[in-house]
C-alpha cells in the first residue's frame, strides 16, 4: 500500500515579515520616546538640607506609621487637629509647621495635613527627614 502525501500549497503572502517590521517599529519608538510626562515649564525640585540645624519656632506635628497624630508631643485625633493647630498658630507670630512623619507612614496621611496647614495660614512647612547613613555605617 502506497500512501500519498498531501501537497502543500505555498502561501504567497507571509505575515512573518510584517510581524518583524511591527516589532522593530515598536522597539524604535520605545527607545526614542519619553516615558514620563514633562512639564511645559522648567521645574527644579527642592534640595534637601542635611547636617544643618532645623529652624526654631513653630509647632511640630508627628505622624505615626498608622497615621496617628501628635501636636507638640500631645496625641490628638484627626478631627481635633484643625482647631488645635489654629489655636497654636493664633498664640504665636511664627507661622511654621514641622512635620515629622514615620518612614512607613502612607503619603495619604501626610499630604492632607499640608493642605490643612496652608488653609490655616502656615507660611513654612518643614518636612523632617533622616539622611542616609554613610557607607559602612549602621542603618
Amino acid at each position: 500500500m502506497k500512501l500519498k502525501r498531501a501537497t502543500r500549497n505555498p502561501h504567497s503572502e507571509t505575515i512573518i515579515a510584517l510581524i518583524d517590521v511591527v516589532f522593530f517599529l515598536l522597539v524604535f519608538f520605545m527607545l526614542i520616546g519619553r516615558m514620563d510626562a514633562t512639564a511645559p515649564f522648567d521645574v527644579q525640585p527642592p534640595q534637601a538640607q542635611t547636617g544643618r540645624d532645623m529652624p526654631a519656632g513653630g509647632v511640630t506635628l508627628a505622624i505615626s506609621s498608622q497615621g496617628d497624630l501628635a501636636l507638640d508631643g500631645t496625641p490628638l485625633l484627626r478631627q481635633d487637629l484643625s482647631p488645635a493647630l489654629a489655636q497654636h498658630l493664633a498664640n504665636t507670630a511664627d507661622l511654621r509647621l514641622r512635620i515629622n512623619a514615620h518612614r512607613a507612614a502612607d503619603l495619604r496621611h501626610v499630604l492632607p495635613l499640608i493642605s490643612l496647614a496652608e488653609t490655616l495660614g502656615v507660611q513654612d512647612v518643614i518636612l523632617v527627614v533622616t539622611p542616609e547613613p554613610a557607607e559602612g555605617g549602621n542603618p
Side-chain angles (χ1 to χ4, degrees):
M1 175 173 189
K2 194 171 187 178
L3 297 176
K4 283 189 168 186
R5 289 188 182 206
T7 58
R8 292 187 181 174
N9 294 335
H11 297 287
S12 60
E13 297 177 22
T14 60
I15 196 158
I16 306 263
L18 182 61
I19 291 173
D20 288 344
V21 169
V22 170
F23 176 72
F24 285 126
L25 286 174
L26 175 68
V27 170
F28 174 75
F29 285 114
M30 285 178 61
L31 290 175
I32 67 163
R34 294 200 49 150
M35 295 297 176
D36 60 343
T38 56
F41 44 83
D42 185 33
V43 176
Q44 293 187 6
Q47 193 170 19
Q49 297 177 358
T50 58
R52 294 178 46 186
D53 291 336
M54 247 188 302
V59 294
T60 301
L61 178 64
I63 305 170
S64 74
S65 59
Q66 292 82 23
D68 299 328
L69 303 175
L71 189 63
D72 279 342
T74 306
L76 67 138
L77 299 174
R78 190 166 292 270
Q79 62 264 22
D80 298 334
L81 176 63
S82 182
L85 191 57
Q87 180 182 2
H88 272 280
L89 294 173
N91 294 337
T92 182
D94 190 15
L95 301 175
R96 179 176 291 141
L97 175 67
R98 279 184 301 278
I99 296 180
N100 188 6
H102 190 277
R103 72 174 62 194
D106 289 338
L107 199 55
R108 64 185 168 91
H109 297 304
V110 179
L111 289 181
L113 302 177
I114 295 173
S115 297
L116 172 68
E118 182 182 30
T119 60
L120 292 174
V122 173
Q123 293 174 349
D124 292 326
V125 175
I126 300 165
L127 298 176
V128 180
V129 296
T130 303
E132 293 201 16
E135 284 187 34
N138 294 332

